[in-house]
Amino acid sequence: MTRGAVVEFRNVSRHYGAVVAVAGCDLRVEAGEFFTLLGPSGSGKTTLLNMLAGFIEPSGGAILIDGVDVTSIPTEKRNIGMVFQNYSLFPHMNVGQNVAFPLKMRRAEKATVRKRVDAALELVGLGAFRDRMPNQLSGGQRQRVAIARAIVFEPKVLLMDEPLGALDLKLRERMQMEIRQYRDQIGCTVIYVTHDQGEALTLSDRIVIMNEGRPVQIGDPEAIYDRPATRFAAEFIGETNILSLLPKPDAGWWIEELGAPFAGSVPAASGRGALLSVRPEKIMRADAVGAGPAVRFDAVVAEIVFSGDIHRYTARCAGGKTVSFKEHRTGRGDALKPGDKVALAFRLEAAVPLPES
């Protein structure tokens, strides 16, 4: 059974003089959910996390945990675990003492402390490391200790602020999978802060994209990626081609950058034109697009980037602009070269209309 709590931000704001860090934010995180706050530096995501933790007082609004207003409740009484990027381990304490610290602060009985510390260390795979000092551990091991310390008192809510930012790529990828496993086993609500789009897509049940102190879009990872609601969302998460859709007299709609017609549906409010988002992996050679409605156009390969399993191409189109597209390497020697002419296409459903702003 889920032990996590429902977390709500109701019209929460935070001002620093004339600077608005968070502006009237309304969010609801369900019990047991892995919910990620994603956005660039200064978007308000860490400010929201710190207000939930009780480190910062909101300028307005209310924060609720399981329906209880905790806005004015001290941090230590909120039953929240916290994991930081820099681990924040006590260097003079061994692993077991570090993990036991929250329980001792809560005056737990010695037998309870021993039992819960053992369980937390076993969960993160460090049962044999109880007597090691932090300076004897690798970065990944120190982060596991920090996670064990954050969950040892069985919090209803676990907050994680860029917890993998100090790790190298391979270790970060491995820790992503481990964090999901920990959450599944302890059943708490996880609210996770990152600016790493791939990390957010991998870990989350739902994502909120933040910009300038406000939520831009909320949804599950596939919806956020496949159906961005704004240009900011489309460009921030993953790669995309932003194309201009213009009305052409007696010819319907026209994609300016491609010099090609567009026969798909266009938002009713866009009489002056619209924007389209098309992911690079949705653009392919025209003979591979198959039957059905599609946008077809000619281009000349301008640049190739080798990325191991894929080639990422930049191609110049008849309209004078460039688009990006990707192809998986087949090993058949059919990679394109700079200067090659190529017929490209994408299916109509791959083009996502966006507001002009």
Side-chain angles (χ1 to χ4, degrees):
M1 178 178 288
T2 297
R3 296 200 307 268
V6 174
V7 175
E8 296 175 86
F9 295 88
R10 295 183 179 176
N11 196 31
V12 172
S13 62
R14 175 64 192 184
H15 303 162
Y16 294 96
V19 177
V20 179
V22 174
C25 186
D26 290 297
L27 290 173
R28 178 184 171 93
V29 183
E30 300 299 334
E33 188 172 29
F34 199 116
F35 189 85
T36 297
L37 301 169
L38 173 67
S41 298
S43 62
K45 57 189 189 297
T46 296
T47 302
L48 274 175
L49 201 75
N50 285 333
M51 287 191 287
L52 175 56
F55 301 149
I56 299 174
E57 186 175 344
S59 302
I63 299 172
L64 287 74
I65 298 178
D66 270 348
V68 177
D69 189 337
V70 300
T71 312
S72 301
I73 293 178
T75 298
E76 65 273 13
K77 295 184 179 180
R78 296 191 185 192
N79 195 25
I80 288 176
M82 189 85 181
V83 180
F84 301 94
Q85 178 178 339
N86 60 359
Y87 318 132
S88 298
L89 301 180
F90 299 112
H92 62 287
M93 294 183 181
N94 64 26
V95 167
Q97 291 166 337
N98 265 284
V99 175
F101 183 78
L103 294 172
K104 292 185 176 180
M105 292 297 292
R106 289 167 171 79
R107 295 185 172 87
E109 294 182 359
K110 184 175 291 188
T112 299
V113 172
R114 181 79 190 188
K115 180 179 178 181
R116 289 195 180 178
V117 169
D118 285 346
L121 288 176
E122 286 299 323
L123 177 64
V124 300
L126 293 177
F129 288 73
R130 172 188 280 270
D131 297 324
R132 298 272 185 96
M133 300 301 290
N135 63 4
Q136 297 175 304
L137 305 176
S138 69
Q141 289 168 338
R142 289 197 293 271
Q143 191 57 280
R144 291 185 183 93
V145 175
I147 292 170
R149 184 180 60 186
I151 63 177
V152 72
F153 59 95
E154 298 181 350
K156 286 189 173 183
V157 181
L158 177 61
L159 309 183
M160 308 188 83
D161 188 7
E162 304 273 8
L164 308 182
L167 305 180
D168 63 58
L169 178 61
K170 286 291 186 184
L171 182 54
R172 195 160 66 239
E173 290 175 346
R174 187 165 75 244
M175 287 295 296
Q176 288 173 10
M177 296 298 99
E178 292 184 12
I179 286 171
R180 281 296 304 226
Q181 292 169 7
Y182 302 154
R183 192 289 301 263
D184 291 342
Q185 292 181 61
I186 63 179
C188 67
T189 303
V190 177
I191 301 180
Y192 192 96
V193 162
T194 185
H195 64 273
D196 186 312
Q197 303 97 328
E199 197 167 281
L201 293 171
T202 298
L203 289 170
S204 312
D205 295 319
R206 280 194 305 151
I207 298 168
V208 56
I209 300 178
M210 299 288 298
N211 189 37
E212 297 181 345
R214 299 178 186 275
V216 172
Q217 185 173 358
I218 305 172
D220 65 71
E222 285 192 13
I224 288 278
Y225 185 83
D226 290 336
R227 294 287 155 186
T230 68
R231 179 170 185 165
F232 177 85
E235 292 183 317
F236 186 77
I237 194 159
E239 297 178 66
T240 196
N241 295 285
I242 301 296
L243 307 175
S244 302
L245 192 61
L246 301 174
K248 191 169 184 179
D250 304 321
W253 294 94
W254 191 259
I255 301 178
E256 182 182 28
E257 290 85 353
L258 308 185
F262 181 76
S265 61
V266 180
S270 59
R272 294 180 293 107
L275 298 176
L276 297 176
S277 169
V278 183
R279 299 291 186 188
E281 66 272 17
K282 299 294 186 181
I283 299 176
M284 61 195 77
R285 301 193 203 190
D287 58 3
V289 78
V295 173
R296 300 171 186 274
F297 58 100
D298 294 323
V300 177
V301 175
E303 185 179 46
I304 305 171
V305 176
F306 170 69
S307 299
D309 59 335
I310 64 168
H311 285 118
R312 182 184 182 279
Y313 296 102
T314 301
R316 189 166 300 280
C317 306
K321 302 292 181 67
T322 60
V323 297
S324 296
F325 67 102
K326 298 177 180 179
E327 288 186 340
H328 283 276
R329 297 174 66 210
T330 64
R332 296 195 299 266
D334 55 355
L336 296 167
K337 303 181 296 298
D340 282 352
K341 294 180 180 180
V342 59
L344 298 173
F346 58 85
R347 299 185 66 83
L348 291 184
E349 60 266 26
V352 180
L354 303 172
E356 290 187 87
S357 59

